């Protein structure tokens, strides 16, 4: 998600080449979702370049390939998983979470496959699991079974907050597409391990997101004060203004919880298109 062309106008500056975008992104933000690995495993040179482009405290969250999660449904994929980890191993010290994003048809009957995968996961690797089957949001025994499994294996349940985008009127192509493709599931703000992750799918109008973010202004400080390391990734229907919305929401968190002494984050000013700062 660091190579969105529209961000050339706000985040990167006109003179920034495509190969320099990750380094510029990492001067402003502290973590990134690596969606490219869902579609194809990068080559070793690319992985080493990603490591070299980012500071030591920067964190990646890479999705497992769709061949593992969607095509094989986590079954008979030990070698695929091993090969994936081998390729990404140069970035092991910068991984925030390995993301297991499961399709909507992956339901309660498939939980043994998830348990086998988590059992085979290297213990030192932090992992997050995103589910979309309705049974896992019904607050019944099947959801409790999922949560117990995640807690037992120290896996984080990835939280999808798509309320803002579904509150938007479907009057633009981007919102219509988001309504068709994004999961509309209840928000269950549970931390099953030490690195809860929120994927906030925003409303196209920046100010309309504030009411939806209010609950996170209470939850995030609680997790931080408890010693957890939450991750918050912000999207918009077309992602064009995702950086601006991310900064807007983060500034609210700074104001709401000044005792946490979190670092400030600012987008580069238009007059300083080649200058970037993390204060």
């Amino acid at each position: 998600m660091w190579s969105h062309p529209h961000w050339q106008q706000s985040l990167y500056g006109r003179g920034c080449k495509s190969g320099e975008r990750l380094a510029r992104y990492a001067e402003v933000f502290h973590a990134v979702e690596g969606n490219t690995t869902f579609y194809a495993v990068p080559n070793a040179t690319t992985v080493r370049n990603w490591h070299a482009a980012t500071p030591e405290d920067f964190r990646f969250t890479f999705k497992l390939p769709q061949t593992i999660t969607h095509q094989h449904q986590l079954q008979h994929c030990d070698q695929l998983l091993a090969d994936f980890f081998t390729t990404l191993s140069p970035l092991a010290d910068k991984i925030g979470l390995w993301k297991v994003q499961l399709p909507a048809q992956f339901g309660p009957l498939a939980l043994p496959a998830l348990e086998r995968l988590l059992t085979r996961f290297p213990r030192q690797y932090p992992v997050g699991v995103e589910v979309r089957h309705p049974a896992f949001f019904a607050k019944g025994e099947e959801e409790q079974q999922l949560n117990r499994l995640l807690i037992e294996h120290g896996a984080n349940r990835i939280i999808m907050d798509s309320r803002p985008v579904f509150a938007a009127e479907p009057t633009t192509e981007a919102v219509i597409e988001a309504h068709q493709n994004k999961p509309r599931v209840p928000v269950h703000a549970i931390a099953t391990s030490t690195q809860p992750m929120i994927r906030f799918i925003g409303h196209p109008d920046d100010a309309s997101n504030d009411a939806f973010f209010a609950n996170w202004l209470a939850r995030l400080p609680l997790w931080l004060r408890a010693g957890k390391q939450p991750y918050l990734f912000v999207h918009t229907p077309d992602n064009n203004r995702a950086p601006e919305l991310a900064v807007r929401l983060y500034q609210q968190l700074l104001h709401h919880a000044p005792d946490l002494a979190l670092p400030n984050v600012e987008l580069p000013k238009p007059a300083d298109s080649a200058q970037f700062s993390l204060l």
Side-chain angles (χ1 to χ4, degrees):
M1 276 307 300
W2 62 79
S3 196
H4 192 57
H6 190 85
W7 298 352
Q8 195 82 14
Q9 304 175 31
S10 58
L11 184 58
Y12 302 128
R14 295 178 182 176
C16 181
K17 299 177 181 178
S18 60
E20 300 170 346
R21 287 175 178 171
L22 176 57
R24 293 287 180 86
Y25 176 100
E27 292 178 7
V28 177
F29 296 109
H30 308 97
V32 73
E33 284 188 292
N35 291 335
T36 57
T37 53
F38 182 74
Y39 303 101
V41 179
N43 61 48
T45 299
T46 297
V47 173
R48 288 193 295 269
N49 289 342
W50 289 346
H51 191 283
T54 52
E56 292 305 312
D57 60 351
F58 189 81
R59 293 294 177 262
F60 293 88
T61 64
F62 287 113
K63 290 182 183 179
L64 266 60
Q66 61 180 339
T67 52
I68 295 175
T69 57
H70 286 57
Q71 296 174 21
H72 285 262
Q73 300 269 316
L74 306 186
Q75 300 192 56
H76 314 297
C77 58
D78 287 4
Q79 191 59 53
L80 289 171
L81 187 66
D83 292 345
F84 176 69
F85 284 149
T86 297
T87 301
L88 274 293
S89 60
L91 280 168
D93 61 328
K94 293 185 177 181
I95 297 298
L97 284 180
W98 299 100
K99 294 172 56 180
V100 183
Q101 185 182 80
L102 297 170
Q105 63 266 33
F106 191 98
L109 293 179
L111 282 179
L114 177 58
E115 184 171 18
R116 285 194 297 273
L117 177 81
L118 295 177
T119 300
R120 288 166 172 74
F121 235 79
R123 290 188 177 275
Q124 72 275 21
Y125 280 4
V127 58
V129 178
E130 181 180 313
V131 293
R132 300 188 176 189
H133 192 283
F136 295 136
F137 297 88
K139 296 186 178 180
E141 174 56 32
E142 292 164 324
E143 181 175 6
Q144 294 172 23
Q145 184 181 1
L146 168 68
N147 291 339
R148 287 195 299 266
L149 175 62
L150 298 178
I151 292 170
E152 178 183 350
H153 290 276
N156 302 273
R157 180 168 177 173
I158 296 175
I159 304 161
M160 175 71 72
D161 189 351
S162 58
R163 297 171 302 161
V165 73
F166 282 103
E169 293 293 332
T171 56
T172 67
E173 182 178 344
V175 173
I176 292 171
E177 184 178 357
H179 283 194
Q180 293 171 343
N181 298 328
K182 299 298 183 184
R184 190 170 191 173
V185 294
V187 182
H188 291 182
I190 180 175
T192 56
S193 191
T194 58
Q195 295 162 308
M197 177 177 160
I198 305 156
R199 301 184 70 218
F200 187 92
I201 315 299
H203 193 288
D205 172 59
D206 285 357
S208 296
N209 292 283
D210 294 349
F212 296 103
F213 196 63
N215 289 339
W216 297 118
L217 288 176
R219 181 74 60 170
L220 287 167
L222 287 177
W223 283 341
L224 288 165
R225 293 180 185 119
K228 299 183 187 299
Q229 173 56 72
Y231 288 88
L232 171 66
F233 291 106
V234 176
H235 302 258
T236 60
D238 56 13
N239 280 318
N240 287 351
R241 286 186 51 81
E244 289 86 347
L245 179 57
V247 171
R248 175 189 179 91
L249 299 180
Y250 185 73
Q251 292 292 338
Q252 292 180 27
L253 179 62
L254 294 182
H255 179 76
H256 186 79
D259 61 297
L260 294 173
L262 297 171
N264 191 30
V265 173
E266 294 181 350
L267 289 176
K269 295 178 175 56
D272 301 323
S273 60
Q275 301 296 321
F276 300 82
S277 65
L278 173 60
L279 304 178

